[in-house]
Amino acid sequence: MYEDQDVIVIDKPVGLLTMGTERDKSHTAQAILNDYVRKGNSRSRNRVYIVHRLDRDTSGILVFAKHEQAKRHLQDDWTNTEKRYLAIVYGCLTPPEGTISSYLVENSALTVYSTSDASKGKLSHTAYRTLKEARGFSLLEIDLLTGRKHQIRVHLSDKGHPVVGDKKYGKKGDGYQWLALHAHSITFTHPFTGQRLSFETAVPEHFMRLIGNIRPV
């Protein structure tokens, strides 16, 4: 989507890891971009640096730094970065617009859950707005006010409206192949020019199949 000497912005497809795991180190967004910036020269020291992550099954915008200094600048200013997601959930939310807040904690099984104990979890806020209701689903625009692991998925599940296709926090017997969660837009300050940069992606095709035509958001 964008590249200069300091940053690269991509639109990550569903199913692609942001970075490597013990099981899969090669087929990741980071590995693909490392090959790209090395231009086929395996001895090149060029590489990209992780600024933030998306889950494997979440599609949408990812920002990478092209050097360590850019990474530090972007991460230090991350609280000023605006991130909006689209999600399709089961049912209709009441009220149709609001903010979900809880303390989130991760257990030894790597499952994130809400707790009322402030000493155990990190306070997290997810703002949502209903854009469309159809076929027993709701299309939501999500403003990620804090950036905790699995935050959107846990908060919407807590509210009784899990994300369609969510195998971990979703509805039992959900037969949908793709997670209906998409990082739709991002606005951040360039680490060296100071310019505010904004990027937006198209609505994924599998969203249209679930809920019909979607007006630009």
Side-chain angles (χ1 to χ4, degrees):
M1 297 182 74
Y2 176 82
E3 180 184 8
D4 62 25
Q5 63 186 3
D6 305 304
V7 299
I8 294 180
V9 182
I10 68 165
D11 185 0
K12 186 187 83 66
V14 169
L16 184 67
L17 287 165
T18 299
M19 60 180 291
T21 64
E22 287 301 316
R23 292 182 180 179
D24 190 348
K25 289 184 168 64
S26 58
H27 188 60
T28 68
Q30 185 181 29
I32 291 166
L33 289 175
N34 280 338
D35 287 342
Y36 168 73
V37 298
R38 288 167 183 163
K39 297 179 171 61
N41 180 3
S42 60
R43 295 186 177 183
S44 170
R45 292 190 174 186
N46 291 341
R47 55 167 292 198
V48 296
Y49 295 79
I50 300 284
V51 176
H52 64 126
R53 304 177 193 178
L54 292 177
D55 295 335
R56 183 201 289 266
D57 293 326
T58 301
S59 58
I61 300 176
L62 263 177
V63 180
F64 288 84
K66 293 176 76 173
H67 50 85
E68 187 73 44
Q69 194 177 6
K71 174 191 173 180
R72 285 199 304 271
H73 276 285
L74 287 165
Q75 290 185 333
D76 288 347
D77 192 52
W78 202 242
T79 53
N80 295 316
T81 298
E82 299 169 20
K83 302 172 291 297
R84 287 194 169 84
Y85 290 70
L86 295 177
I88 296 178
V89 301
Y90 286 96
C92 301
L93 279 79
T94 305
E97 183 173 349
T99 300
I100 307 167
S101 299
S102 73
Y103 294 95
L104 293 180
V105 62
E106 185 175 9
N107 65 20
S108 58
L110 306 181
T111 298
V112 178
Y113 63 95
S114 291
T115 177
S116 58
D117 188 342
S119 67
K120 289 184 178 178
K122 294 180 179 178
L123 185 59
S124 307
H125 307 287
T126 303
Y128 69 90
R129 178 168 66 96
T130 302
L131 300 178
K132 181 179 181 179
E133 297 173 349
R135 305 173 182 174
F137 302 120
S138 294
L139 172 68
L140 307 179
E141 181 183 61
I142 306 288
D143 191 351
L144 198 57
L145 303 178
T146 53
R148 315 297 183 206
K149 180 179 178 180
H150 296 171
Q151 176 182 318
I152 294 172
R153 296 160 63 187
V154 173
H155 274 170
L156 290 172
S157 183
D158 285 349
K159 199 166 173 64
H161 300 278
V163 178
V164 174
D166 192 339
K167 303 296 188 289
K168 189 162 189 172
Y169 305 101
K171 185 177 179 181
K172 287 185 178 178
D174 183 321
Y176 290 96
Q177 182 179 4
W178 306 116
L179 179 69
L181 182 60
H182 178 68
H184 179 60
S185 68
I186 196 166
T187 300
F188 63 92
T189 302
H190 191 280
F192 297 105
T193 68
Q195 181 183 1
R196 288 291 278 178
L197 299 176
S198 294
F199 302 95
E200 186 173 300
T201 62
V203 177
E205 198 174 298
H206 64 280
F207 276 50
M208 308 283 199
R209 291 198 297 268
L210 277 170
I211 206 165
N213 290 330
I214 300 170
R215 291 176 296 180
V217 295

